[in-house]
Amino acid sequence: MHRFLALSAIALTVALAGCATTKQPEPDKTIKTSSVIAPEGKKLTAKDEEDADVSRYEGWHHLAGRTLEVASLADLKLHDKEVVLSFDDGPIPGRTDKVLAILDKFGVKGAFMMVGQMAELHPELARKVAEDGNAIGSHTYRHADLAALGFDAAMKEVAKGQLAVTKATGEDVNFFRFPYLADNHKLRAAIATRDMVVMDVDIDSKDYFNTTPVAVTQRTMNLLRKRGRGIILMHDIHKRTATMLPTLLSKLEAEGYKVVTLKFRKSSAPVEMAAL
Ligand SMILES: [Zn+2]
């Protein structure tokens, strides 16, 4: 296969994969179905494009909250009206950089769960995400469904992904999110021993659905109002995510929410292995 085709195939596979609370079929098997290809096919309106114009949001913002140091998932406790903005599946040029620009305008940081393969393909962008002060996480090397693999194969994927993102960003990778949120207790415990905090999801924006940016914003805000706080799942590989982000952040600010910045703190206590 030509290099261009190979890269396109990788990008397409990852773009189609997304991350859902419910398990999705293997990306390779879904490429032929129009319902899966559709998400990127929705045309953005002129109003959507206008909303995404970052320059409109210059100025003083009050959205930045505290920096929360976490050594384990148990430390990741949010107060009422606090959110974490997490972005999976990138980095990808033309999209991740837009997300970074919007976060910068609002003075907030996110947590980027990178696919190792994507970080390898776009190391400058991966490094920029880290240099901007965002929390860096891994999302396996090839967006594998770890629950469907044997334990050893799954941990190989985890290690390869962590190494690839570390190399690309030039930083330690201290957060992790399961593709398709497909986890199990043994894998979660083993990942914790690799100095990575497993990031769960409280609010799924479903930005990978074939829907408008307005619908994504409304769904996310409705879920958040019910819950009061939480880790929001988004994907920096989709055009609609950068398009809806300024509106989402404006709404969060208007309703008094704060965006928490995550930092990893290495635990001095040995990781409890008894639960394995
Ligand atoms: Zn994902």
Side-chain angles (χ1 to χ4, degrees):
M1 193 184 280
H2 289 96
R3 183 171 162 76
F4 173 77
L5 290 177
L7 297 187
S8 301
I10 290 166
L12 179 64
T13 302
V14 174
L16 289 171
C19 236
T21 45
T22 51
K23 208 162 157 180
Q24 295 184 346
E26 281 292 306
D28 288 343
K29 292 174 192 159
T30 64
I31 285 173
K32 294 182 194 77
T33 66
S34 58
S35 62
V36 177
I37 289 176
E40 286 303 297
K42 192 92 178 175
K43 268 222 170 282
L44 297 174
T45 65
K47 169 110 180 31
D48 290 335
E49 299 288 0
E50 188 187 315
D51 285 347
D53 178 5
V54 175
S55 62
R56 295 175 62 226
Y57 299 92
E58 289 275 13
W60 186 251
H61 289 285
H62 306 271
L63 191 55
R66 64 189 171 124
T67 296
L68 179 59
E69 289 200 354
V70 295
S72 70
L73 186 60
D75 298 328
L76 216 168
K77 286 197 168 56
L78 299 177
H79 300 153
D80 199 28
K81 291 265 176 182
E82 283 187 337
V83 297
V84 169
L85 306 173
S86 67
F87 300 92
D88 288 9
D89 294 0
I92 192 163
R95 301 202 172 160
T96 304
D97 39 325
K98 274 191 185 158
V99 169
L100 291 178
I102 294 161
L103 295 180
D104 187 50
K105 287 287 182 280
F106 281 83
V108 295
K109 310 293 180 195
F112 287 75
M113 306 294 132
M114 299 183 190
V115 172
Q117 240 173 3
M118 300 293 277
E120 264 180 7
L121 283 171
H122 311 294
E124 296 87 3
L125 193 50
R127 189 171 288 266
K128 170 90 167 75
V129 173
E131 283 172 356
D132 279 7
N134 297 290
I136 302 298
S138 166
H139 195 42
T140 75
Y141 181 70
R142 58 179 176 91
H143 206 274
D145 180 349
L146 297 187
L149 295 177
F151 178 78
D152 291 345
M155 287 311 294
K156 244 183 173 173
E157 257 289 315
V158 170
K160 199 173 173 189
Q162 188 178 16
L163 181 65
V165 178
T166 301
K167 272 189 182 170
T169 58
E171 286 199 12
D172 289 342
V173 173
N174 297 123
F175 295 90
F176 180 85
R177 180 170 279 138
F178 283 89
Y180 316 106
L181 306 180
D183 65 353
N184 62 48
H185 180 74
K186 193 176 176 188
L187 284 173
R188 289 178 72 99
I191 287 165
T193 68
R194 299 184 62 87
D195 279 345
M196 290 195 289
V197 174
V198 174
M199 291 274 286
D200 289 319
V201 172
D202 299 318
I203 292 150
D204 185 354
S205 71
K206 296 201 191 305
D207 56 351
Y208 45 88
F209 272 21
N210 181 18
T211 183
T212 63
V214 170
V216 175
T217 306
Q218 281 173 349
R219 178 191 302 114
T220 305
M221 289 307 297
N222 286 342
L223 290 170
L224 185 57
R225 285 175 195 128
K226 278 184 204 150
R227 216 176 180 284
R229 70 188 81 178
I231 300 171
I232 303 174
L233 168 64
M234 292 171 279
H235 298 82
D236 47 318
I237 59 168
H238 295 303
K239 191 175 182 184
R240 76 175 68 77
T241 303
T243 305
M244 67 91 181
L245 196 56
T247 311
L248 177 68
L249 297 184
S250 296
K251 277 194 192 297
L252 288 173
E253 188 168 26
E255 295 187 24
Y257 289 93
K258 295 288 183 191
V259 174
V260 168
T261 301
L262 291 182
K263 286 245 183 306
F264 181 75
R265 169 173 47 83
K266 195 165 171 54
S267 172
S268 52
V271 175
E272 183 59 69
M273 291 295 287
L276 274 174

PDB file of all heavy atoms in Angstrom, residues 18-19 88-89 139 143 179 235, ligand 1:
ATOM      1  N   GLY A  18     -14.287   6.669  17.120  1.00  0.00           N
ATOM      2  CA  GLY A  18     -14.963   7.418  18.170  1.00  0.00           C
ATOM      3  C   GLY A  18     -14.875   6.702  19.495  1.00  0.00           C
ATOM      4  O   GLY A  18     -14.167   5.733  19.654  1.00  0.00           O
ATOM      5  N   CYS A  19     -15.610   7.192  20.444  1.00  0.00           N
ATOM      6  CA  CYS A  19     -15.616   6.587  21.757  1.00  0.00           C
ATOM      7  C   CYS A  19     -17.030   6.663  22.275  1.00  0.00           C
ATOM      8  O   CYS A  19     -17.613   7.716  22.317  1.00  0.00           O
ATOM      9  CB  CYS A  19     -14.701   7.372  22.689  1.00  0.00           C
ATOM     10  SG  CYS A  19     -13.449   6.382  23.431  1.00  0.00           S
ATOM     11  N   ASP A  88     -10.569  12.915  23.136  1.00  0.00           N
ATOM     12  CA  ASP A  88      -9.992  11.630  22.741  1.00  0.00           C
ATOM     13  C   ASP A  88      -9.671  11.576  21.244  1.00  0.00           C
ATOM     14  O   ASP A  88     -10.245  12.317  20.449  1.00  0.00           O
ATOM     15  CB  ASP A  88     -10.993  10.497  23.014  1.00  0.00           C
ATOM     16  CG  ASP A  88     -11.141  10.203  24.493  1.00  0.00           C
ATOM     17  OD1 ASP A  88     -10.620  10.965  25.319  1.00  0.00           O
ATOM     18  OD2 ASP A  88     -11.801   9.199  24.820  1.00  0.00           O
ATOM     19  N   ASP A  89      -8.812  10.642  20.913  1.00  0.00           N
ATOM     20  CA  ASP A  89      -8.594  10.131  19.545  1.00  0.00           C
ATOM     21  C   ASP A  89      -7.609  10.917  18.682  1.00  0.00           C
ATOM     22  O   ASP A  89      -7.268  10.470  17.589  1.00  0.00           O
ATOM     23  CB  ASP A  89      -9.901   9.980  18.751  1.00  0.00           C
ATOM     24  CG  ASP A  89     -10.825   8.914  19.324  1.00  0.00           C
ATOM     25  OD1 ASP A  89     -10.448   8.297  20.334  1.00  0.00           O
ATOM     26  OD2 ASP A  89     -11.911   8.712  18.766  1.00  0.00           O
ATOM     27  N   HIS A 139      -4.484   6.567  24.802  1.00  0.00           N
ATOM     28  CA  HIS A 139      -5.773   5.956  24.442  1.00  0.00           C
ATOM     29  C   HIS A 139      -5.478   4.696  23.632  1.00  0.00           C
ATOM     30  O   HIS A 139      -6.163   4.403  22.674  1.00  0.00           O
ATOM     31  CB  HIS A 139      -6.533   7.011  23.627  1.00  0.00           C
ATOM     32  CG  HIS A 139      -7.997   6.774  23.445  1.00  0.00           C
ATOM     33  ND1 HIS A 139      -8.845   6.337  24.435  1.00  0.00           N
ATOM     34  CD2 HIS A 139      -8.795   6.956  22.352  1.00  0.00           C
ATOM     35  CE1 HIS A 139     -10.075   6.265  23.960  1.00  0.00           C
ATOM     36  NE2 HIS A 139     -10.068   6.615  22.701  1.00  0.00           N
ATOM     37  N   HIS A 143      -6.095   2.319  19.101  1.00  0.00           N
ATOM     38  CA  HIS A 143      -7.514   2.410  19.464  1.00  0.00           C
ATOM     39  C   HIS A 143      -8.144   1.018  19.537  1.00  0.00           C
ATOM     40  O   HIS A 143      -9.220   0.757  18.993  1.00  0.00           O
ATOM     41  CB  HIS A 143      -8.280   3.296  18.471  1.00  0.00           C
ATOM     42  CG  HIS A 143      -9.512   3.914  19.090  1.00  0.00           C
ATOM     43  ND1 HIS A 143     -10.725   3.268  19.135  1.00  0.00           N
ATOM     44  CD2 HIS A 143      -9.708   5.094  19.693  1.00  0.00           C
ATOM     45  CE1 HIS A 143     -11.621   4.043  19.729  1.00  0.00           C
ATOM     46  NE2 HIS A 143     -11.024   5.159  20.088  1.00  0.00           N
ATOM     47  N   PRO A 179     -10.416   2.819  24.980  1.00  0.00           N
ATOM     48  CA  PRO A 179     -11.246   2.952  23.775  1.00  0.00           C
ATOM     49  C   PRO A 179     -12.581   2.241  23.993  1.00  0.00           C
ATOM     50  O   PRO A 179     -12.618   1.165  24.604  1.00  0.00           O
ATOM     51  CB  PRO A 179     -10.418   2.257  22.696  1.00  0.00           C
ATOM     52  CG  PRO A 179      -9.003   2.384  23.175  1.00  0.00           C
ATOM     53  CD  PRO A 179      -9.086   2.258  24.666  1.00  0.00           C
ATOM     54  N   HIS A 235     -14.186  14.706  21.380  1.00  0.00           N
ATOM     55  CA  HIS A 235     -13.182  14.152  20.465  1.00  0.00           C
ATOM     56  C   HIS A 235     -12.630  15.270  19.594  1.00  0.00           C
ATOM     57  O   HIS A 235     -13.393  15.911  18.877  1.00  0.00           O
ATOM     58  CB  HIS A 235     -13.816  13.072  19.588  1.00  0.00           C
ATOM     59  CG  HIS A 235     -14.330  11.904  20.373  1.00  0.00           C
ATOM     60  ND1 HIS A 235     -15.553  11.914  20.994  1.00  0.00           N
ATOM     61  CD2 HIS A 235     -13.756  10.706  20.672  1.00  0.00           C
ATOM     62  CE1 HIS A 235     -15.722  10.761  21.643  1.00  0.00           C
ATOM     63  NE2 HIS A 235     -14.644  10.014  21.459  1.00  0.00           N
TER      64      HIS A 235
HETATM   65 ZN    ZN B   1     -11.661   6.825  21.294  1.00  0.00          ZN
END
